[in-house]
Amino acid sequence: MKHNVLLPFVIFLSIGISFNRYGYSRTESADGVADTAKARPIIEAVRVTNPIKVDGVLSEGEWQRPGAANFTQRDPIEGSQPSQKTEVWIAYDDEAIYVAARMYDTHPDSIVTRIGRRDADLSSDWFYVGIDSYHDRRTGFYFGVYAGGAISDGILFNDSWDDNTWDGVWDAASKIDDKGWTVEMKIPYSQLRFPKQDEYVWGVNFIRSIERNKERDDFVMVPKKESGWVSRFADLVGLKNINPPTKLEVLPYVVAKQHFTNQFTDGNPFNDGSILSSNTGVDIKYGLGSNLTLNATINPDFGQVEVDPAVVNLTQFETFFQEKRPFFIEGSNFFDFGYGGANNNWGFNFGNPEYFYSRRIGRPPRGDVQHDGFVDYPDATRILGAAKITGKIAEGWSLGSMHAVTVREHATVEDTAGHRYSDIVEPLASYNVIRSLREFNEGKQAIGFIGTATLRDFDQPYLVDNFNHQSFALGMDGWTNLDSKGEFVVTSWFSTSRVQGTSDRILALQENPLHYFQRPDATEVHLDSSATSLSGYAGRVALNKQKGNTYLNAAVGTISPGFDSNDLGYLFRTNVINAHLVLGYSWYDPDGIFRRKGFNLATFRNFDYAGEKTGEGYFLFYNAQFMNYWNVNGNFNFSPAILDPRNTRGGPIMKTTNLYNSGIYGSTDSRNSLIYNLGISAARSESGGYRVTLDPGIGWKPASGVSLSLFPEINHDVTIAQWVMNQDDPAATRTYGARYVFGKLDLQEVSASIRLDWTFTPKLTLQLFLQPLISVGRYNEFKELKQPGMYSFNRYGKDNGSTIDRADHDFQVVFDPNYPTDTTQVYQGDYVVDPDGNTEGSAVPFKISNPDFNFKSLRVNAVVRWEYLPGSTAYFVWTRGSTSGDHPGDFSFSRDFRDMLTAPDHDDVFLIKLAYWWHP
């Protein structure tokens, strides 16, 4: 198969996006006549005559006039009249916009008033306002208030998507009375984005939730089988003589951290078990005009308040961790690439590249020290400074630009003579990404680009072969609606990448798990030991049906063998040509048994650039909600045998066996104080392997501000051919001079996620998170791949006269008599294999290091968060991590649980962080 397959997707879908030159068009009906029947509701804002006190008491004159009250029920009965009346008013002054709402309730004592931390998803009555201040009918902000006073806010983008990582500084109050409950909000203009005009028209919408009825009432209701959200907003008029304020926010912070550990060696001059550190810096947010915002940080604190989960990764793929650092998550939607325009995206073993994976910035150093002795090795790469610009250049034209510089990181080494050395373990680096998207015709079409660059400066020769010198990625994406109703949309993207470095570094890059150019039977790729760069391309075209009861999603995409965006992005596979098709149907009307239900049928195929089928699957997905608000969803899937080029970790291609999998998951009514969850999944392969997973769960809400959840997981996974190692041996001629060793892995895991949320007030909260993990793997039935392209093995101790013995003590041995000085250390528990069992034969014996493991981990994270002033927050954090590896390969839950609780290796970190928000 030639490398130019689908090359550049017929020049990026032949740039087949029919843009309207002026960025405006009328909505037309099927017969081409402008649709004026669906006129937008209009809400008028009035100027404040006297100061408004935000206390939840609607006593001001602005709230005495008739308000917007024409709400429509979306749930539980779409299109019906709300069970309770809602009335909303909007006012404004030179500083802010004010929203007031009266949620009438004939049974005020039945209003559900739970409280929680900001942006918590609470089972409570709430009120929400969405504001499209730029009036582009694609983006906006939302502000929500719960009946108990908790708040939630975020941004709206791609018409119907939202992101709650943005935290604005605004004021709100709620109050329950004999008529129901009320809300008042004050939203400063400094928290919104809009251009200077004499008179404004904004988009606005309101939602009310009545929790005891599971009722949702919308001012502008979008039916479930329709799409869009911001584009449907009502018009807010009456805003005159206001000015976008100068945006300047300064957030200085100070951090003190005490680290206690028992993982140190006596005499270590760098660690006596107690390490005290501190840091200070400042974050600055400045408005560049009315539409762009500059976020800058000096000596940033990029430590995480919440810890990452513990994982046991036995695959060749890198573990993906979510970003939790505020600087990077706020405004991250401006850097999204390849997903816009459609309300659904499916992957199916393809994996769109992430071009900006911010966890790359500030990650632990990766270089080796150059001296022996005690080492003070940094646990993260310090970020000298970072800045980003996000916002809109003009109507429909967004921009995101981020730049960060990490320092040249050193590790200090002290040898036995007391001499100290400073070894560079991470070079000075610059990380850069720029993203821009131009939308046309009220978002019906768009075209955009993204570019990333990672640049490193080496001042020591031992660094150049361990890091890429430069890497670049450049991409283009867009979408177009195929009809005037916006029912079908085509999205597409195309990108290229280039990595530069020394020949040794590029050779290592070609051989890493993302590429495996060294595969001996590969015809589409080959190693080039003289290459000083690696280049590739990737792209995808997808069709999505946006509306109606029927569902359709189809896509075709490719990632070439040389594509690599991992210096600043995240990519888990290359050398793939992928296509999938999804068909489905949904019922949204209650039928006496179900409130809603639906199913999807799907299939996909993967091929590599040699034309071999490397992936195939058939799926049935289903979901339903019963009349009592219990939920169920599940799946069945079948994966036929394919040729896997990665199972041998750089060796020849290997066949798999047919795999069958199913799962079912259910949950009870979230309104109850006790909520139960249960998931069961099982899989079996024709090789004899199987997997059974049990996911029970319980949530308890004993009080309005307290919730406790426990989600354990029990997993038993038996893999017949789990990769263990590769052993070079010229005698293994059938497998290209190497033995690809596999074993039967019996994996048993027990883990849990335990979370306590205790909200004293909406501004003072405690969160406690515990994650115990026991993962035990035992290997036996060792074997080697018999023939490339097949699922067949030579079993050690059974085939070809081979022998395998497990060592019961430590010893040294010479395996190859031709090299009598080359000794191998064998430890108790290791295996010694003679592939042909004949000391006179050509096969050289070798050692399999004991691969059994018993990993036990307990992670604890306690966070007290206090918003002592608007925008100003104090954190008090305790983090504990402990691990144990005793009894490898032997699973005993009671013993392993005790070992986990009493693990001798542990770390405790106590942290205090104070941040003060200042705004002129």
Side-chain angles (χ1 to χ4, degrees):
M1 183 171 293
K2 296 183 179 179
H3 287 212
N4 63 357
V5 63
L6 301 176
L7 184 61
F9 288 107
V10 194
I11 310 300
F12 190 65
L13 199 58
S14 300
I15 311 297
I17 302 177
S18 54
F19 297 112
N20 181 303
R21 179 178 178 183
Y22 302 101
Y24 170 81
S25 74
R26 296 185 300 173
T27 301
E28 297 190 353
S29 61
D31 59 3
V33 180
D35 185 2
T36 59
K38 297 181 180 179
R40 296 181 186 276
I42 295 176
I43 296 176
E44 184 176 2
V46 298
R47 181 171 278 276
V48 172
T49 55
N50 295 299
I52 291 179
K53 183 179 180 181
V54 181
D55 56 5
V57 179
L58 307 187
S59 58
E60 289 81 6
E62 286 77 9
W63 316 141
Q64 308 311 311
R65 61 193 178 93
N70 190 22
F71 281 69
T72 304
Q73 190 177 131
R74 192 173 191 265
D75 286 309
I77 304 175
E78 183 178 299
S80 67
Q81 288 295 314
S83 65
Q84 307 287 341
K85 180 182 177 181
T86 304
E87 199 167 9
V88 186
W89 302 265
I90 294 183
Y92 69 98
D93 58 19
D94 291 338
E95 179 186 356
I97 189 169
Y98 299 84
V99 180
R102 158 67 71 181
M103 276 63 68
Y104 292 92
D105 201 309
T106 54
H107 299 283
D109 57 341
S110 298
I111 296 171
V112 183
T113 57
R114 296 194 57 80
I115 59 175
R117 181 178 172 176
R118 184 180 196 144
D119 295 329
D121 185 11
L122 304 176
S123 298
S124 173
D125 286 40
W126 50 264
F127 173 80
Y128 161 117
V129 56
I131 299 176
D132 173 14
S133 56
Y134 201 83
H135 208 229
D136 61 1
R137 306 216 182 273
R138 295 285 298 172
T139 63
F141 303 83
Y142 71 85
F143 306 86
V145 181
Y146 290 91
I151 66 170
S152 179
D153 55 10
I155 59 173
L156 304 169
F157 64 103
N158 197 33
D159 194 4
S160 59
W161 294 5
D162 63 82
D163 181 357
N164 67 2
T165 58
W166 176 80
D167 288 334
V169 181
W170 52 288
D171 195 13
S174 62
K175 189 175 182 63
I176 297 176
D177 57 25
D178 58 356
K179 296 181 181 179
W181 67 287
T182 57
V183 165
E184 279 184 306
M185 304 181 190
K186 178 183 178 181
I187 304 169
Y189 298 135
S190 62
Q191 304 303 299
L192 305 174
R193 289 175 173 172
F194 56 95
K196 168 65 177 171
Q197 296 177 0
D198 295 332
E199 186 171 353
Y200 299 86
V201 178
W202 292 356
V204 69
N205 203 359
F206 315 111
I207 304 175
R208 177 192 179 178
S209 173
I210 305 174
E211 178 64 13
R212 67 180 184 273
N213 299 334
K214 279 294 183 182
E215 180 177 338
R216 170 176 160 173
D217 303 325
D218 293 26
F219 185 71
V220 179
M221 193 273 292
V222 180
K224 298 182 185 72
K225 64 181 181 180
E226 299 290 329
S227 67
W229 176 238
V230 181
S231 58
R232 309 290 191 98
F233 279 14
D235 284 337
L236 176 64
V237 301
L239 299 169
K240 302 177 182 179
N241 302 318
I242 62 174
N243 297 306
T246 299
K247 296 181 181 179
L248 176 61
E249 299 177 18
V250 181
L251 192 73
Y253 75 89
V254 60
V255 174
K257 182 169 71 172
Q258 179 73 59
H259 181 191
F260 297 101
T261 179
N262 67 348
Q263 300 184 62
F264 65 95
T265 305
D266 290 340
N268 188 336
F270 306 114
N271 186 356
D272 61 359
S274 177
I275 304 172
L276 178 64
S277 61
S278 62
N279 196 18
T280 185
V282 62
D283 297 337
I284 301 170
K285 184 181 293 186
Y286 180 70
L288 303 176
S290 59
N291 302 321
L292 294 174
T293 299
L294 168 67
N295 291 75
T297 181
I298 301 171
N299 194 30
D301 171 40
F302 284 154
Q304 292 182 201
V305 172
E306 295 188 41
V307 298
D308 292 321
V311 294
V312 176
N313 187 352
L314 299 177
T315 74
Q316 67 269 41
F317 304 118
E318 175 188 9
T319 300
F320 182 92
F321 290 110
Q322 294 293 331
E323 180 61 80
K324 299 177 182 179
R325 299 171 293 181
F327 177 85
F328 289 116
I329 59 179
E330 183 176 326
S332 60
N333 64 288
F334 282 98
F335 300 95
D336 288 341
F337 176 82
Y339 295 102
N343 60 13
N344 246 315
N345 290 276
W346 294 69
F348 285 113
N349 210 28
F350 177 70
N352 276 4
E354 295 281 347
Y355 291 87
F356 181 32
Y357 178 41
S358 55
R359 292 293 294 262
R360 302 286 185 211
I361 304 173
R363 65 182 173 184
R366 293 172 295 157
D368 297 325
V369 296
Q370 304 301 303
H371 300 85
D372 295 327
F374 290 109
V375 180
D376 182 15
Y377 198 95
D379 56 6
T381 303
R382 188 166 61 90
I383 302 173
L384 182 64
K388 63 181 178 181
I389 296 174
T390 56
K392 291 184 179 292
I393 303 172
E395 183 177 354
W397 194 351
S398 65
L399 172 70
S401 180
M402 196 288 307
H403 310 272
V405 176
T406 58
V407 301
R408 184 175 286 110
E409 201 66 68
H410 295 75
T412 304
V413 184
E414 182 174 301
D415 63 17
T416 55
H419 300 127
R420 289 200 172 188
Y421 308 91
S422 182
D423 294 343
I424 299 176
V425 291
E426 187 77 20
L428 179 72
S430 170
Y431 298 89
N432 309 273
V433 57
I434 184 169
R435 163 70 164 148
S436 187
L437 182 70
R438 182 71 167 98
E439 298 183 22
F440 301 85
N441 199 11
E442 295 187 345
K444 293 182 174 59
Q445 291 89 28
I447 190 168
F449 76 90
I450 192 170
T452 69
T454 303
L455 313 173
R456 294 185 176 91
D457 178 61
F458 305 112
D459 66 346
Q460 293 293 338
Y462 58 79
L463 294 172
V464 297
D465 292 336
N466 295 327
F467 298 88
N468 299 330
H469 183 210
Q470 299 177 334
S471 64
F472 307 93
L474 180 64
M476 183 178 181
D477 68 338
W479 68 81
T480 182
N481 282 269
L482 299 181
D483 59 302
S484 60
K485 296 180 179 180
E487 186 171 357
F488 291 91
V489 62
V490 172
T491 65
S492 59
W493 60 266
F494 177 76
S495 63
T496 62
S497 71
R498 182 175 178 85
V499 180
Q500 297 175 337
T502 65
S503 57
D504 285 344
R505 174 57 191 166
I506 298 302
L507 179 63
L509 192 65
Q510 295 175 71
E511 292 178 335
N512 77 12
L514 189 61
H515 303 289
Y516 283 147
F517 279 17
Q518 71 272 31
R519 289 186 293 113
D521 57 346
T523 60
E524 74 278 22
V525 294
H526 66 277
L527 282 176
D528 184 352
S529 60
S530 64
T532 56
S533 66
L534 182 67
S535 301
Y537 61 88
R540 202 174 197 216
V541 178
L543 171 67
N544 191 64
K545 185 175 183 291
Q546 308 272 88
K547 300 180 179 181
N549 297 89
T550 58
Y551 180 76
L552 166 67
N553 183 272
V556 58
T558 184
I559 304 175
S560 75
F563 185 83
D564 195 315
S565 59
N566 268 351
D567 261 314
L568 190 50
Y570 179 86
L571 176 67
F572 75 89
R573 74 179 307 153
T574 61
N575 193 9
V576 60
I577 301 167
N578 167 275
H580 78 248
L581 174 66
V582 185
L583 300 172
Y585 194 89
S586 296
W587 293 264
Y588 298 109
D589 297 324
D591 60 9
I593 300 176
F594 299 103
R595 291 192 177 276
R596 57 169 177 78
K597 56 186 180 292
F599 73 92
N600 289 304
L601 296 172
T603 185
F604 83 94
R605 302 284 191 286
N606 279 0
F607 296 88
D608 66 14
Y609 273 59
E612 301 287 0
K613 185 172 65 175
T614 59
E616 183 177 7
Y618 302 88
F619 304 84
L620 166 65
F621 303 98
Y622 60 90
N623 66 86
Q625 184 178 78
F626 295 94
M627 295 298 293
N628 63 355
Y629 293 100
W630 287 32
N631 295 278
V632 64
N633 65 84
N635 65 84
F636 298 95
N637 66 272
F638 167 59
S639 300
I642 49 93
L643 293 173
D644 192 326
R646 290 177 166 78
N647 265 358
T648 55
R649 307 298 201 270
I653 204 163
M654 172 179 161
K655 193 174 184 180
T656 66
T657 60
N658 294 340
L659 175 68
Y660 307 86
N661 181 71
S662 66
I664 185 168
Y665 312 88
S667 62
T668 61
D669 189 346
S670 63
R671 295 173 297 179
N672 299 332
S673 59
L674 281 172
I675 305 168
Y676 301 96
N677 298 267
L678 180 62
I680 302 173
S681 63
R684 187 167 187 86
S685 69
E686 292 185 358
S687 66
Y690 63 89
R691 182 183 69 253
V692 178
T693 303
L694 181 65
D695 292 296
I698 185 171
W700 182 35
K701 297 175 286 188
S704 63
V706 181
S707 65
L708 177 66
S709 62
L710 169 63
F711 288 91
E713 179 176 301
I714 303 168
N715 179 52
H716 189 194
D717 191 343
V718 174
T719 304
I720 301 302
Q722 172 68 40
W723 178 85
V724 176
M725 62 177 292
N726 296 340
Q727 176 69 32
D728 291 335
D729 188 345
T733 55
R734 297 188 69 182
T735 50
Y736 302 97
R739 302 188 186 277
Y740 300 94
V741 181
F742 294 81
K744 178 181 178 181
L745 170 62
D746 189 329
L747 175 65
Q748 298 181 76
E749 286 187 331
V750 180
S751 64
S753 293
I754 306 168
R755 183 179 293 273
L756 169 68
D757 291 308
W758 195 329
T759 304
F760 307 101
T761 74
K763 298 183 182 296
L764 179 61
T765 61
L766 166 66
Q767 288 186 310
L768 178 64
F769 174 73
L770 294 89
Q771 190 209 19
L773 169 66
I774 300 172
S775 180
V776 182
R778 183 174 184 84
Y779 288 79
N780 56 24
E781 298 183 13
F782 293 96
K783 46 193 170 282
E784 65 181 54
L785 184 66
K786 184 176 183 179
Q787 181 179 340
M790 303 296 291
Y791 189 85
S792 60
F793 305 92
N794 290 324
R795 299 167 297 173
Y796 295 146
K798 295 184 178 180
D799 298 331
N800 294 344
S802 60
T803 62
I804 181 169
D805 298 294
R806 190 168 193 179
D808 56 7
H809 64 282
D810 298 351
F811 61 91
Q812 290 187 335
V813 63
V814 175
F815 283 134
D816 191 343
N818 295 318
Y819 300 93
T821 60
D822 290 349
T823 61
T824 300
Q825 178 67 53
V826 178
Y827 297 96
Q828 181 179 354
D830 292 346
Y831 297 85
V832 175
V833 176
D834 188 340
D836 58 14
N838 184 353
T839 56
E840 301 293 330
S842 58
V844 177
F846 62 92
K847 178 189 77 169
I848 300 176
S849 297
N850 182 11
D852 295 346
F853 60 89
N854 188 327
F855 178 74
K856 297 170 284 287
S857 167
L858 177 62
R859 296 194 175 190
V860 183
N861 187 220
V863 180
V864 175
R865 181 183 185 275
W866 175 34
E867 187 175 349
Y868 59 94
L869 290 172
S872 302
T873 309
Y875 292 96
F876 305 89
V877 183
W878 169 51
T879 299
R880 181 180 178 89
S882 59
T883 59
S884 173
D886 295 339
H887 312 291
D890 182 17
F891 177 77
S892 170
F893 178 75
S894 59
R895 182 204 61 215
D896 291 336
F897 187 77
R898 288 194 302 270
D899 288 350
M900 180 188 68
L901 295 179
T902 60
D905 297 333
H906 58 81
D907 292 86
D908 289 278
V909 176
F910 297 90
L911 179 147
I912 298 176
K913 177 178 179 179
L914 297 175
Y916 177 76
W917 181 78
W918 178 82
H919 174 65

